[in-house]
Every structure is written in C-alpha cells, then in structure tokens.
Amino acid sequence: MINNVRNTVLFMLNKENRGYITPSEFNQFADLAQMSIFEDDFHAYAKAIVKQNARLYNNGNSDIPKHLRERIDLLTKESNLTYNATTLTWTNDDTSFYRLINLDYSGIDIEEVSKLELNKILKNNLIKPTEDYPVYVKVGDKFKIYPDLSTYDVGSLYIKRPAPPKWTYIEVQSSPLFNPSAVDYQDFEIHPSCETELVIKILAYCGMSIREADVVQATQGMEITEKQNQGL
C-alpha cells in the first residue's frame, strides 16, 4: 500500500508543479498520517456507538461501528505478561504497546479498578480481591494485580502502535526506485480502507511543508468529503 500512496501523493503534487518531497520527508509525513488516522478511529468508534444506540443510523447506512472495530482490531495482539518479583508488577515487554483491552488468567478476567478505589477494596472483606475475582491497577506502563498471581500465566489483550512506515528505495540514475526487499522496509499497518485518508493527510502535510495554502485547503475539503462518504 505504501508505494501506491506515495505515487498518488507525488502525482497530485506534480500535476500542477507543486513541488517534490524526498523519501525521508514522505516517511515522516506517512508516520504522522498513519498515527492521526489510528487515533481518530478510537474517537470515531465511540461516537458511532453512541449514534447506533440512539438509532441515528438509518437502514441505508453500512454497519459503521463494525467497520471501525475491524480497523482497530487489525492491530490487536495477545501475549503473556512478564512477572517481576521485585516490584510485584506485570510488565508487557512489547515496545509497541499502545492500549490495554483486557487481562486474564485461566479463563478468568481481571477487573481494572482505580487507584482511589483500591485501598477501599483491599480493606473490605466483602469485596476484597480473590483468585476468582482478581483486580488490577495500572501504574505507569505496568500493572499491579491483587491478589498475587505470580504462579499463573497472566495474558493480555491489547492494541499495538502501528509501526512507523518506511518507503525504501535504491538510487537508479539519481532517482529513487522503490525497493520493498530492503531489510528496513515497512508498509502501513493500518487497514487497507484507510488508503484514501492517508493520501489526503499526507498531501495536507506536504502543503504545509512547501507552503502551498491552496493544497492545504483542497485536502481539507477532500477530508470532509471522505468522512461524509464513510458516514462519520
């Protein structure tokens, strides 16, 4: 997908002699665009659920919440957490970790509680955490679980950050030629349905970079149209 996006961006810039962006600039803009779309999907999904519950979507609309959920689920991963006996915490060792969905062990979900609630819960024998009803609090990038479950495998379901895209190339007669075989090549990791959004956002960043106000204005209009087409 990354080569198609780059070719489209360059075509639209060169069509009216708007300038040229280097591969390095494209990669920077591509990462910004991907993260912007990735984070916007969470807000769009929350709004879509509210509209769906309020029956604001008519029968002619597609299942927008499902579509957005599929886009988010593409970056969902499962892994066990590593127990650190010194700090009594569980740490996810995936550096791309972005947002936790759930913790569980032996088929039992571990409920998240706030730090303010924790002391009250631990002191109340009626609701004190047990192995059948465990709880956890998030402290920084770690998770403190009550009671101690260090003898069990604790699993996590989480959303990873999409890897920074990188359009790689080789020089051919002083011109960059796409080379997907490079060891540091990285395609976009977000859903293929985001291709048009990526082009629009990257064009907007290009417009700001080359100081072409009309490019920015045009992409803003394109972005509004794209969201309307998606029913957002």
Side-chain angles (χ1 to χ4, degrees), residues 8 29 46 48 55 61 96 103 108 129 132 138 161 230:
T8 303
F29 296 154
R55 304 190 181 208
N61 288 103
S96 67
L103 292 181
I108 298 174
D132 290 330
K138 192 171 188 299
R161 180 200 189 281
Q230 294 179 17

Side-chain angles (χ1 to χ4, degrees), residues 61-112:
N61 288 103
S62 60
D63 193 339
I64 294 174
K66 181 181 178 182
H67 171 62
L68 290 168
R69 183 76 252 176
E70 288 175 350
R71 284 168 51 144
I72 294 171
D73 285 346
L74 190 64
L75 290 159
T76 299
K77 294 183 65 177
E78 291 181 317
S79 76
N80 287 337
L81 302 183
T82 303
Y83 183 66
N84 185 323
T86 303
T87 59
L88 298 178
T89 59
W90 296 87
T91 305
N92 189 303
D93 58 3
D94 188 345
T95 57
S96 67
F97 178 88
Y98 180 80
R99 180 177 296 186
L100 181 70
I101 298 176
N102 188 50
L103 292 181
D104 71 273
Y105 84 101
S106 300
I108 298 174
D109 289 335
I110 304 174
E111 182 181 355
E112 182 180 13

Side-chain angles (χ1 to χ4, degrees), residues 29-214:
F29 296 154
D31 188 31
L32 288 172
Q34 178 173 247
M35 282 304 298
S36 176
I37 294 169
F38 171 67
E39 292 173 346
D40 283 349
D41 277 350
F42 292 98
H43 302 294
Y45 178 71
K47 291 180 180 179
I49 288 295
V50 171
K51 287 184 176 181
Q52 186 180 62
N53 292 339
R55 304 190 181 208
L56 295 179
Y57 290 133
N58 58 45
N59 294 332
N61 288 103
S62 60
D63 193 339
I64 294 174
K66 181 181 178 182
H67 171 62
L68 290 168
R69 183 76 252 176
E70 288 175 350
R71 284 168 51 144
I72 294 171
D73 285 346
L74 190 64
L75 290 159
T76 299
K77 294 183 65 177
E78 291 181 317
S79 76
N80 287 337
L81 302 183
T82 303
Y83 183 66
N84 185 323
T86 303
T87 59
L88 298 178
T89 59
W90 296 87
T91 305
N92 189 303
D93 58 3
D94 188 345
T95 57
S96 67
F97 178 88
Y98 180 80
R99 180 177 296 186
L100 181 70
I101 298 176
N102 188 50
L103 292 181
D104 71 273
Y105 84 101
S106 300
I108 298 174
D109 289 335
I110 304 174
E111 182 181 355
E112 182 180 13
V113 297
S114 71
K115 299 176 185 66
L116 295 176
E117 295 174 317
L118 182 61
N119 287 335
K120 295 179 182 178
I121 292 174
L122 294 177
K123 292 178 181 179
N124 189 325
N125 289 330
L126 293 177
I127 56 175
K128 190 173 182 178
T130 66
E131 290 191 358
D132 290 330
Y133 299 98
V135 301
Y136 77 89
V137 292
K138 192 171 188 299
V139 182
D141 62 346
K142 301 177 181 179
F143 311 97
K144 290 190 175 182
I145 301 175
Y146 302 87
D148 180 9
L149 299 177
S150 57
T151 58
Y152 298 93
D153 288 331
V154 173
S156 66
L157 182 66
Y158 65 98
I159 298 170
K160 70 179 287 291
R161 180 200 189 281
K166 187 170 185 179
W167 186 85
T168 50
Y169 64 96
I170 56 174
E171 291 279 352
V172 177
Q173 296 181 349
S174 300
S175 297
L177 179 67
F178 182 48
N179 177 29
S181 299
V183 294
D184 54 344
Y185 166 73
Q186 177 61 59
D187 200 357
F188 290 108
E189 286 198 324
I190 54 178
H191 199 275
S193 66
C194 302
E195 184 169 335
T196 301
E197 294 173 76
L198 286 167
V199 170
I200 293 170
K201 285 189 176 293
I202 294 172
L203 277 172
Y205 294 133
C206 292
M208 289 186 285
S209 176
I210 61 180
R211 299 183 180 180
E212 288 284 356
D214 52 345

Side-chain angles (χ1 to χ4, degrees), residues 212-225:
E212 288 284 356
D214 52 345
V215 173
V216 177
Q217 292 172 355
T219 54
Q220 288 173 343
M222 292 164 64
E223 188 168 12
I224 292 172
T225 301

